Amino acid sequence: MLLRSLHNPYSHRIQTRLASSVTEKAAETAEKATSTVTPQPRSRITHLLYRTLAGLGAFIVTCGGIVVAFFIYDATTYREDPESFDLQLSDLALNPRRGGPKNLPIAEYYVSDDEPEFRDQKHKPKLVILGTGWGSVPLLKTLVPGDYHVTVVSPSNHFLFTPMLPSATVGTLEFRSLVEPIRKIVRKAKAHFLKGSATDVDFSEKLVEVESYGANGEKQHFYLPYDKLVIGVGSITNPHGVKGLEHCHFLKSISDARKIRNQVIRNLESACLPTTSDEERRRLLSFVVSGGGPTGVEFAAELYDMLNEDLCKFYPRILRNEISVHVIQSRGHILNTYDEALSKYAEERLAHDMVDVQTNARVKEVQADKILFTQKDAESGKVVTKELPMGFCLWSTGVSQTEFCQKLANKLGDSQNNKHALETDTHLRLTGAPLGDVYAIGDCSTVQNNVSDHIITFLRTLAWEKGKDPEEMHISYNDWRNVAKRVKSRFPQATDHLRRLDRLFEQYDTDKSGTLDFGELSELLKQIDAKLTSLPATAQRANQQGIYLGRKLNALSRAAPGMRINMIADGDLDEAVYKAFSYKDMGSLAYIGNAAIFDLGGFNFGGGLLAVYLWRSIYFTQSVSLRTRMLLAMDWSKRALFGRDMMNY
Amino acid sequence: MLLRSLHNPYSHRIQTRLASSVTEKAAETAEKATSTVTPQPRSRITHLLYRTLAGLGAFIVTCGGIVVAFFIYDATTYREDPESFDLQLSDLALNPRRGGPKNLPIAEYYVSDDEPEFRDQKHKPKLVILGTGWGSVPLLKTLVPGDYHVTVVSPSNHFLFTPMLPSATVGTLEFRSLVEPIRKIVRKAKAHFLKGSATDVDFSEKLVEVESYGANGEKQHFYLPYDKLVIGVGSITNPHGVKGLEHCHFLKSISDARKIRNQVIRNLESACLPTTSDEERRRLLSFVVSGGGPTGVEFAAELYDMLNEDLCKFYPRILRNEISVHVIQSRGHILNTYDEALSKYAEERLAHDMVDVQTNARVKEVQADKILFTQKDAESGKVVTKELPMGFCLWSTGVSQTEFCQKLANKLGDSQNNKHALETDTHLRLTGAPLGDVYAIGDCSTVQNNVSDHIITFLRTLAWEKGKDPEEMHISYNDWRNVAKRVKSRFPQATDHLRRLDRLFEQYDTDKSGTLDFGELSELLKQIDAKLTSLPATAQRANQQGIYLGRKLNALSRAAPGMRINMIADGDLDEAVYKAFSYKDMGSLAYIGNAAIFDLGGFNFGGGLLAVYLWRSIYFTQSVSLRTRMLLAMDWSKRALFGRDMMNY
């Protein structure tokens, strides 16, 4: 407005007054402007410097503040005065009664049962969980604390984040970053922990026999009564009947990883000694991995990384020239459970890293200083025996059953037919054991895909409705849709193979009668069985099973009052309250030496450093606790700043 | 200027032009002002909030920037392509000649001798350093790289920060935070490292016999030739001839600390088992420390901390009630090398923490489940034998000689008279070995305080000047001042006792002749000997000796060309180029359970948490590398955030 009015020619006076008032305003504004932008007279660089220093100062003060706050917090974490408690102890906890088939002590009550946290669970159903791995821990985390009187039994008192174990063998990660004390997890779930190994189960008296180390270090046995038992004891490495495995390392536990680390360093140190001949040095530095699965390949990749990045800095250079890493794989490709393009990418990567991959090769025997294997010649097709001098051998060739699981399988006789794992139904109940008493999850178990065996069950309701003998029924397309629905609910794995019901119906209606008879339906279900593969022995599967079982046990606990009122005690309670277990493949990943591959169903890719960061991020988020995440971040930074620690002790 | 010009009355036109130009400027300025001071209309709180959020944003962006920068740095630390080198290798390095008294291989040349970093040292004097502890590492860090052909020999490939080892036994600190790979230190000093143990020295042929593990894990021996040898092999724990030490733990190395940690956790786990009786539980939870020195007391304190702060969170409460920690000390007070007020403060602290301290008690025998000790009754003075059931015993009762040092002492015969350590002169040269060839530093050695034995040496120059037999001389006060000066330079430890020369002269001039005769002087020096105590077997002393020896070896190397020109090869070269070793006590500190004590000569104090932070700060700064410092800070934070890791593997 002011500006527009000036364009109108007014009298001199007005003009002057306006001008003076305008100038006053201008002066005022100018003054204001000057006062807010004091440093203006200084040069831009000075100003920028001033701002930067102020920002830096503020940053340092903030960081300092955080440190001081942390120190104050830290000071509150020390306990000054020793604590002591008044405890009630039941006599039965101190002097357990003896009984069971072997007349051993029966641990019905614990010394901690009367503590305030545990008092209200004292008379809840007893849930015993064997194992502290990828199945048991998610189960514990899913359970509603206090619904059961939970006891965890395991020879190891930590949960191990197995997928990153190969990284710990060469010091990329520290052992502590991969483990979480089980007592922390157990306490959160208001459960009890007993360090020991289950050696037997008495299914009729509902007793687990546990072996533990007594006060004098001697082995002792006792019984643990259960109402529900969960077996999650894992697996052992499959020896495949090969001789000389005592010369091999395995990679299942933290102490395995430590032994490997020590052996690798020991070999490097021995190779440096002036008394070691050239031939011995080459042998000491020949590292062999038997098994081209994820564990074997990741170990080879980590080993190569360490040798390539850290060895040269500290060891004589001759070692770098004489080192060799070999992978012996029985199949045509390494990582054969992955997409073939990824397998090939991994093979190229390893070839670039000068890791020697022997495919179609089967180890025959391992000796102290060499490994013998047979290999089919690609051209002639002849099988020849080869020999590889070696200073270190990792044996990582699939899973096999623990002694305890074998014993249980034998006890259950014909119900158990799998040589490598305990069979369960799709509700994860151990086949052959009293229904709903015993569950098996994780590597030690396999879910039976025997759809066709259950044909009668599927037809029973239908037959009952129609008042017919199931074996003589003729099933219309509508009935078939009904049956298929039941199959899907009982065997969620079969869902993928039951998508085009019309086509299946047409295909198996061989006599084109418009109905399926018993024989035709049976044939159809058998074909589905043949297509179903057993679930992989992975952390992912165990994790899903643990969570599934936790949710079901919660549901069972919620349903218990209603069932008591209705006097329901027997029957298929699991099916009544919860759906069957359904496995969802979330994909697999593998680290292959400054590169990583991702097999995510349809979406597969592999790549270099960015993929490695992605691979780390995924495991970082999946890691078990804030503590392990902090430690992982720390370990990766440490590697970047200081390299790996080349020490053994 | 613009404003001032407006006050002069100009023509209408000019005025108008000016006014319009001024108003344009004013409008511009106003616009500017509005845009810069936009938030003014808002309230103060909004403004403050705005500023805080902006600050927080800037802080997060800065932190994010640092993280991104770190990732970029991290990405540069991966090596894409495998390296390989062309290497020259001397035939003698690959096939060492045999010789020496036992006709073993002699390692004169190494496979790394022809690498660019090492080529120019190939023909330098060979310096062999035995051990990688508190003496050897400071020595290595002090040496000018390249002056000698340096070889470090040790069975352990890491340097261990021993003063904090007790903290690692219960998981307050991690093992990795206390160790530094020796090859890192060795590489910086341009030295070579061989993993092995010295078993013997041939002083005449200048060969060290080294035992190492060969390619097949078998023990093998070879010779290492030296021009100068430094023995820094440390000590073993003193068994004091007590029976049953196989039931005890020691605390010298990382693997000792790990064994202790595992045993403590194992006892806690066994104590939780339902088969463990009340009596057995009390025994399992009875932790005994034999020896009230710093190691023993700090271990007891750390153990108490862990039991008090972490145990209750995760274990049944009955354990806390039944735990007992005992310290058995042979002297009247624990920490008897510290100021008595501090000892008493520590005792009060431990008493408050319910740690049972038994003083004036000597362990007689250790059995698997109990410890027997004799104790003098304070009142009756009678010695009674007592018995303490225990589940764990730490034996930390002073130092003793390793087998290797015993062998050397025996070999040198009468020159070596100390049962517990190798004797050296004040130039740290091994007494009895050819002068200037062999040095001994750290716990394995002791500096001889035999001033009176050197009386002739001190008087020789004086006697030669006066042309007399030293034994018949009469020494005036002036001569005495001369002699005292020489004593101080040769035995710096005696300096404190030679402050009032006039008084000493008067006191020992028994016949008041105004001169000292040989007998009188000899008596005087013997009295000084009696007052001199041997140096403590501490990290501090070893550290000072290592630095001292490094500086002297540097001086010797610098002086070598001059000595060659002057054809000087024999004689007391050490004394010619460098002063004698003088120990400066920097004080001692100890952690005593949420409190710490400081014995800094005159300035002694003890206190709670602030003293603990000070104690940590001192060790933090003394820690060996940036890497260990980062890890220490991390460990302390981890303890505060997540507690100690209660696991064993």
Side-chain angles (χ1 to χ4, degrees):
Chain A
M1 232 197 65
L2 193 71
L3 283 171
R4 233 190 306 144
S5 73
L6 280 170
H7 290 283
N8 299 333
Y10 278 97
S11 78
H12 174 123
R13 253 184 89 199
I14 293 167
Q15 200 83 355
T16 321
R17 260 183 57 210
L18 263 170
S20 78
S21 95
V22 163
T23 42
E24 266 162 40
K25 283 237 166 164
E28 219 173 276
T29 324
E31 207 175 56
K32 232 183 230 168
T34 320
S35 71
T36 43
V37 204
T38 318
Q40 232 177 12
R42 302 185 198 168
S43 76
R44 282 199 166 203
I45 294 170
T46 322
H47 181 61
L48 203 71
L49 197 74
Y50 171 81
R51 290 292 291 261
T52 313
L53 284 176
L56 195 70
F59 182 72
I60 291 169
V61 167
T62 314
C63 290
I66 292 172
V67 169
V68 168
F70 186 79
F71 263 86
I72 292 169
Y73 166 72
D74 182 69
T76 65
T77 62
Y78 301 90
R79 255 201 226 161
E80 258 302 289
D81 293 305
E83 245 182 316
S84 89
F85 311 92
D86 282 331
L87 287 178
Q88 283 188 333
L89 286 175
S90 78
D91 200 48
L92 270 172
L94 292 174
N95 301 298
R97 72 177 176 91
R98 296 180 84 93
K102 293 190 189 167
N103 198 34
L104 296 171
I106 301 179
E108 277 165 306
Y109 299 101
Y110 303 149
V111 284
S112 45
D113 269 341
D114 284 305
E115 289 182 19
E117 295 90 336
F118 296 116
R119 209 170 287 151
D120 53 339
Q121 306 157 30
K122 206 171 168 182
H123 301 292
K124 290 276 167 78
K126 285 182 194 296
L127 170 64
V128 174
I129 301 171
L130 308 179
T132 49
W134 273 101
S136 311
V137 166
L139 164 59
L140 270 173
K141 286 186 162 184
T142 313
L143 279 177
V144 175
D147 274 4
Y148 293 87
H149 179 277
V150 184
T151 309
V152 179
V153 179
S154 172
S156 94
N157 55 4
H158 53 267
F159 165 73
L160 172 59
F161 192 82
T162 43
M164 297 199 109
L165 195 52
S167 299
T169 54
V170 296
T172 312
L173 296 178
E174 288 310 321
F175 304 132
R176 293 263 143 179
S177 318
L178 299 180
V179 287
E180 182 74 4
I182 197 67
R183 282 192 175 269
K184 261 191 190 172
I185 299 164
V186 158
R187 183 49 69 110
K188 263 188 208 150
K190 289 198 181 179
H192 305 268
F193 176 73
L194 296 178
K195 195 165 189 276
S197 325
T199 53
D200 204 353
V201 177
D202 189 290
F203 295 109
S204 57
E205 294 201 40
K206 292 195 175 188
L207 296 172
V208 188
E209 187 184 331
V210 178
E211 179 182 272
S212 64
Y213 287 93
N216 301 308
E218 81 292 356
K219 283 183 186 178
Q220 56 178 30
H221 290 245
F222 62 91
Y223 284 126
L224 209 55
Y226 65 84
D227 293 305
K228 293 208 171 272
L229 175 68
V230 179
I231 302 172
V233 298
S235 58
I236 55 171
T237 308
N238 195 336
H240 288 293
V242 170
K243 264 202 298 186
L245 289 197
E246 65 273 17
H247 303 300
C248 292
H249 285 264
F250 301 92
L251 188 49
K252 279 270 174 197
S253 69
I254 285 286
S255 58
D256 289 343
R258 187 174 47 233
K259 278 181 207 152
I260 290 176
R261 196 194 275 194
N262 284 349
Q263 180 73 52
V264 170
I265 302 275
R266 206 178 304 140
N267 281 12
L268 295 178
E269 293 293 350
S270 288
C272 297
L273 292 176
T275 41
T276 304
S277 73
D278 228 26
E279 190 191 339
E280 279 174 331
R281 183 161 35 239
R282 274 203 203 91
R283 180 178 73 68
L284 279 171
L285 299 177
S286 160
F287 297 91
V288 176
V289 177
S290 185
T295 308
V297 168
E298 287 191 344
F299 172 73
E302 289 281 354
L303 188 65
Y304 163 79
D305 283 354
M306 188 262 270
L307 300 174
N308 199 37
E309 289 165 15
D310 298 278
L311 181 81
C312 301
K313 284 188 225 152
F314 305 117
Y315 285 83
R317 292 196 173 164
I318 189 172
L319 266 61
R320 186 69 199 95
N321 280 12
E322 299 194 343
I323 268 173
S324 59
V325 181
H326 312 267
V327 176
I328 298 179
Q329 161 73 325
S330 56
R331 309 294 181 92
H333 288 289
I334 58 167
L335 297 175
N336 61 290
T337 56
Y338 289 63
D339 182 82
E340 201 179 323
L342 292 178
S343 288
K344 281 188 180 157
Y345 177 76
E347 278 167 10
E348 278 162 29
R349 233 12 258 197
L350 292 185
H352 165 263
D353 291 351
M354 308 205 300
V355 172
D356 161 48
V357 176
Q358 301 282 345
T359 51
N360 295 315
R362 283 191 172 276
V363 175
K364 222 170 115 186
E365 192 186 336
V366 184
Q367 292 177 6
D369 56 354
K370 60 174 175 275
I371 187 162
L372 306 172
F373 63 96
T374 56
Q375 195 170 29
K376 214 184 205 171
D377 192 87
E379 284 171 31
S380 66
K382 259 197 257 173
V383 174
V384 286
T385 300
K386 293 181 179 176
E387 170 177 317
L388 199 60
M390 61 95 188
F392 174 93
C393 180
L394 175 73
W395 190 260
S396 65
T397 55
V399 299
S400 185
Q401 220 166 11
T402 62
E403 208 182 313
F404 168 65
C405 290
Q406 272 170 26
K407 198 188 272 180
L408 294 194
N410 290 339
K411 213 169 200 175
L412 295 172
D414 289 342
S415 325
Q416 294 284 337
N417 300 309
N418 191 311
K419 260 174 55 188
H420 295 302
L422 292 173
E423 289 181 326
T424 70
D425 63 13
T426 51
H427 280 272
L428 308 188
R429 292 171 296 197
L430 185 65
T431 314
L435 200 69
D437 276 6
V438 187
Y439 299 85
I441 56 177
D443 282 10
C444 71
S445 72
T446 184
V447 178
Q448 270 178 308
N449 293 314
N450 48 354
V451 184
S452 57
D453 291 356
H454 287 71
I455 182 164
I456 297 290
T457 325
F458 295 129
L459 293 178
R460 197 178 292 143
T461 333
L462 206 64
W464 182 78
E465 276 167 15
K466 304 205 172 174
K468 282 188 189 165
D469 178 1
E471 302 211 7
E472 310 221 324
M473 277 177 70
H474 286 267
I475 295 137
S476 69
Y477 179 64
N478 250 355
D479 293 339
W480 161 234
R481 275 176 55 185
N482 234 323
V483 168
K485 204 174 144 196
R486 256 174 234 153
V487 172
K488 283 189 219 170
S489 128
R490 181 73 191 243
F491 292 94
Q493 289 282 117
T495 309
D496 276 352
H497 307 287
L498 287 169
R499 289 205 191 284
R500 296 300 306 266
L501 294 179
D502 46 349
R503 278 209 200 151
L504 281 170
F505 191 82
E506 233 172 86
Q507 190 186 340
Y508 284 91
D509 181 14
T510 38
D511 55 4
K512 303 292 166 200
S513 62
T515 56
L516 293 176
D517 60 23
F518 190 83
E520 284 167 348
L521 182 64
S522 176
E523 191 55 35
L524 194 163
L525 296 181
K526 270 183 192 150
Q527 283 307 308
I528 288 175
D529 276 359
K531 283 181 199 155
L532 293 176
T533 53
S534 60
L535 299 178
T538 58
Q540 195 183 143
R541 194 248 292 190
N543 185 40
Q544 291 184 19
Q545 291 187 326
I547 293 169
Y548 163 83
L549 194 55
R551 288 188 182 146
K552 182 156 70 182
L553 289 170
N554 291 340
L556 281 168
S557 166
R558 274 196 306 274
M563 289 194 284
R564 248 196 311 277
I565 290 166
N566 296 310
M567 308 276 273
I568 301 173
D570 294 317
D572 201 336
L573 298 184
D574 287 59
E575 208 173 342
V577 302
Y578 210 70
K579 60 187 189 214
F581 173 70
S582 152
Y583 175 68
K584 277 173 203 69
D585 185 23
M586 310 294 280
S588 9
L589 30 162
Y591 175 75
I592 51 171
N594 290 350
I597 54 172
F598 300 81
D599 186 335
L600 308 172
F603 184 56
N604 304 333
F605 65 99
L609 216 47
L610 281 178
V612 173
Y613 287 135
L614 179 64
W615 174 80
R616 284 187 189 171
S617 311
I618 291 174
Y619 282 150
F620 182 78
T621 52
Q622 301 219 323
S623 185
V624 71
S625 71
L626 179 64
R627 176 187 150 277
T628 54
R629 263 171 232 137
M630 238 179 78
L631 293 178
L632 284 177
M634 181 74 194
D635 286 350
W636 286 319
S637 316
K638 199 172 67 136
R639 191 214 64 83
L641 292 172
F642 310 110
R644 295 173 184 80
D645 297 327
M646 309 283 274
M647 297 178 274
N648 59 346
Y649 39 75
Chain B
M1 224 197 73
L2 191 73
L3 285 171
R4 232 189 306 141
S5 72
L6 279 170
H7 290 285
N8 298 339
Y10 278 97
S11 77
H12 177 121
R13 256 186 88 202
I14 291 168
Q15 201 81 355
T16 321
R17 261 185 56 213
L18 263 170
S20 76
S21 95
V22 164
T23 41
E24 267 162 41
K25 284 247 161 150
E28 220 173 285
T29 324
E31 208 173 57
K32 233 185 228 165
T34 319
S35 71
T36 43
V37 205
T38 320
Q40 233 181 7
R42 301 184 199 170
S43 76
R44 280 197 166 206
I45 293 168
T46 322
H47 182 62
L48 202 71
L49 198 74
Y50 172 82
R51 289 290 292 263
T52 312
L53 283 176
L56 196 70
F59 182 72
I60 291 169
V61 167
T62 314
C63 291
I66 292 172
V67 169
V68 169
F70 186 79
F71 265 87
I72 292 170
Y73 165 72
D74 181 70
T76 64
T77 62
Y78 301 91
R79 256 203 224 163
E80 259 302 289
D81 294 305
E83 244 183 319
S84 89
F85 309 92
D86 282 331
L87 287 178
Q88 283 187 337
L89 286 177
S90 77
D91 200 46
L92 270 172
L94 292 175
N95 302 299
R97 72 177 176 89
R98 295 180 86 91
K102 292 189 189 168
N103 197 34
L104 295 171
I106 301 180
E108 277 165 308
Y109 300 101
Y110 303 149
V111 285
S112 45
D113 269 341
D114 283 303
E115 289 180 21
E117 295 90 337
F118 295 116
R119 209 170 287 150
D120 54 340
Q121 307 158 28
K122 206 171 167 179
H123 302 292
K124 291 275 168 76
K126 285 183 194 298
L127 170 64
V128 174
I129 301 171
L130 308 179
T132 50
W134 273 101
S136 309
V137 166
L139 163 59
L140 269 173
K141 287 186 161 182
T142 314
L143 277 178
V144 175
D147 274 4
Y148 292 88
H149 179 277
V150 184
T151 308
V152 179
V153 180
S154 173
S156 95
N157 55 4
H158 53 267
F159 166 73
L160 172 60
F161 192 82
T162 43
M164 298 197 107
L165 195 51
S167 298
T169 53
V170 296
T172 312
L173 296 178
E174 288 310 321
F175 304 133
R176 294 264 142 179
S177 319
L178 299 180
V179 288
E180 181 75 3
I182 197 68
R183 282 191 176 270
K184 262 191 189 170
I185 300 164
V186 158
R187 183 50 68 110
K188 264 190 208 146
K190 289 200 180 181
H192 305 267
F193 175 72
L194 297 176
K195 195 165 189 278
S197 325
T199 54
D200 203 354
V201 177
D202 189 291
F203 294 109
S204 56
E205 294 201 40
K206 290 192 176 193
L207 296 172
V208 189
E209 188 183 332
V210 178
E211 179 182 88
S212 64
Y213 286 94
N216 301 309
E218 81 293 355
K219 282 183 185 178
Q220 56 178 28
H221 290 245
F222 62 91
Y223 283 126
L224 208 56
Y226 66 83
D227 293 306
K228 291 206 173 277
L229 175 68
V230 179
I231 301 172
V233 297
S235 58
I236 55 172
T237 308
N238 195 336
H240 288 293
V242 170
K243 264 202 297 185
L245 289 197
E246 65 274 18
H247 304 300
C248 293
H249 285 264
F250 302 92
L251 188 49
K252 278 272 175 194
S253 70
I254 285 285
S255 56
D256 290 342
R258 186 172 48 232
K259 277 181 209 152
I260 290 176
R261 195 194 277 194
N262 284 349
Q263 180 74 50
V264 170
I265 302 276
R266 206 179 305 142
N267 282 13
L268 296 180
E269 292 293 351
S270 289
C272 296
L273 291 175
T275 41
T276 304
S277 72
D278 228 28
E279 190 192 339
E280 279 174 331
R281 183 160 36 240
R282 273 203 203 92
R283 180 179 71 70
L284 279 171
L285 299 176
S286 160
F287 298 89
V288 176
V289 176
S290 184
T295 308
V297 168
E298 287 191 345
F299 171 73
E302 290 280 354
L303 188 65
Y304 163 79
D305 283 354
M306 188 261 269
L307 301 174
N308 199 38
E309 289 165 17
D310 297 279
L311 181 80
C312 300
K313 284 188 226 152
F314 305 117
Y315 285 84
R317 291 196 176 165
I318 190 174
L319 266 61
R320 186 67 200 96
N321 280 11
E322 299 195 343
I323 269 174
S324 58
V325 181
H326 312 267
V327 176
I328 298 180
Q329 162 73 325
S330 56
R331 309 293 182 92
H333 288 288
I334 58 167
L335 298 174
N336 61 290
T337 57
Y338 289 62
D339 182 81
E340 201 178 324
L342 292 178
S343 289
K344 281 187 181 156
Y345 178 76
E347 278 166 10
E348 277 161 30
R349 235 10 258 198
L350 292 185
H352 165 263
D353 292 351
M354 308 204 300
V355 172
D356 159 49
V357 176
Q358 300 283 346
T359 50
N360 294 315
R362 287 193 167 273
V363 175
K364 222 172 118 186
E365 191 185 337
V366 184
Q367 294 178 4
D369 57 354
K370 59 173 174 278
I371 188 162
L372 306 172
F373 63 95
T374 56
Q375 195 170 30
K376 214 185 205 172
D377 192 87
E379 283 172 33
S380 66
K382 259 198 258 173
V383 175
V384 286
T385 301
K386 293 182 180 177
E387 175 177 314
L388 199 60
M390 62 96 186
F392 174 95
C393 179
L394 175 73
W395 191 260
S396 65
T397 55
V399 300
S400 184
Q401 220 167 11
T402 64
E403 209 182 314
F404 168 68
C405 290
Q406 273 171 25
K407 197 188 270 180
L408 294 194
N410 289 340
K411 212 168 199 175
L412 295 173
D414 290 343
S415 325
Q416 294 284 336
N417 300 308
N418 191 311
K419 260 173 56 187
H420 294 302
L422 292 172
E423 289 182 324
T424 71
D425 64 11
T426 52
H427 280 271
L428 307 187
R429 292 171 296 197
L430 185 64
T431 314
L435 201 68
D437 277 4
V438 187
Y439 299 84
I441 56 177
D443 282 9
C444 71
S445 71
T446 183
V447 178
Q448 272 178 306
N449 292 314
N450 49 354
V451 183
S452 57
D453 291 357
H454 288 71
I455 182 166
I456 297 288
T457 326
F458 296 127
L459 293 179
R460 199 179 287 142
T461 334
L462 205 66
W464 182 78
E465 275 169 14
K466 305 206 169 176
K468 282 188 188 163
D469 179 1
E471 302 210 9
E472 310 221 325
M473 278 178 68
H474 286 266
I475 296 136
S476 70
Y477 180 65
N478 250 355
D479 294 337
W480 161 232
R481 276 175 55 184
N482 234 323
V483 166
K485 203 174 145 196
R486 256 175 233 153
V487 171
K488 283 188 217 170
S489 128
R490 182 73 192 243
F491 293 92
Q493 289 281 117
T495 310
D496 275 352
H497 306 286
L498 287 169
R499 288 205 191 285
R500 296 299 306 266
L501 295 179
D502 47 350
R503 275 206 204 155
L504 281 169
F505 191 84
E506 232 172 88
Q507 188 186 342
Y508 284 90
D509 179 16
T510 38
D511 55 2
K512 303 292 166 199
S513 62
T515 56
L516 294 175
D517 60 24
F518 189 83
E520 285 167 347
L521 182 63
S522 175
E523 192 54 35
L524 194 165
L525 295 182
K526 269 182 194 152
Q527 284 307 309
I528 288 175
D529 277 357
K531 282 180 199 156
L532 292 177
T533 53
S534 61
L535 299 178
T538 58
Q540 194 183 145
R541 194 249 292 192
N543 185 42
Q544 290 184 22
Q545 290 188 327
I547 293 169
Y548 163 84
L549 193 56
R551 289 188 181 145
K552 182 156 70 181
L553 288 169
N554 290 340
L556 281 167
S557 165
R558 275 196 307 274
M563 289 195 284
R564 250 197 309 280
I565 291 167
N566 296 311
M567 307 275 272
I568 301 171
D570 294 316
D572 201 336
L573 298 183
D574 286 58
E575 207 173 341
V577 303
Y578 210 71
K579 61 185 185 211
F581 173 70
S582 150
Y583 174 69
K584 276 171 205 68
D585 185 23
M586 312 292 281
S588 8
L589 32 163
Y591 175 75
I592 51 171
N594 291 349
I597 54 171
F598 300 80
D599 186 335
L600 309 171
F603 185 56
N604 305 333
F605 66 99
L609 216 47
L610 280 177
V612 173
Y613 287 135
L614 178 63
W615 175 79
R616 285 188 186 168
S617 312
I618 290 174
Y619 282 150
F620 182 78
T621 52
Q622 301 219 323
S623 185
V624 71
S625 72
L626 179 63
R627 177 187 149 277
T628 54
R629 261 170 235 138
M630 238 178 78
L631 293 178
L632 284 177
M634 181 74 192
D635 287 350
W636 285 320
S637 314
K638 198 171 65 133
R639 190 213 64 82
L641 292 173
F642 310 109
R644 294 172 184 83
D645 298 327
M646 309 283 275
M647 296 178 277
N648 59 346
Y649 39 73

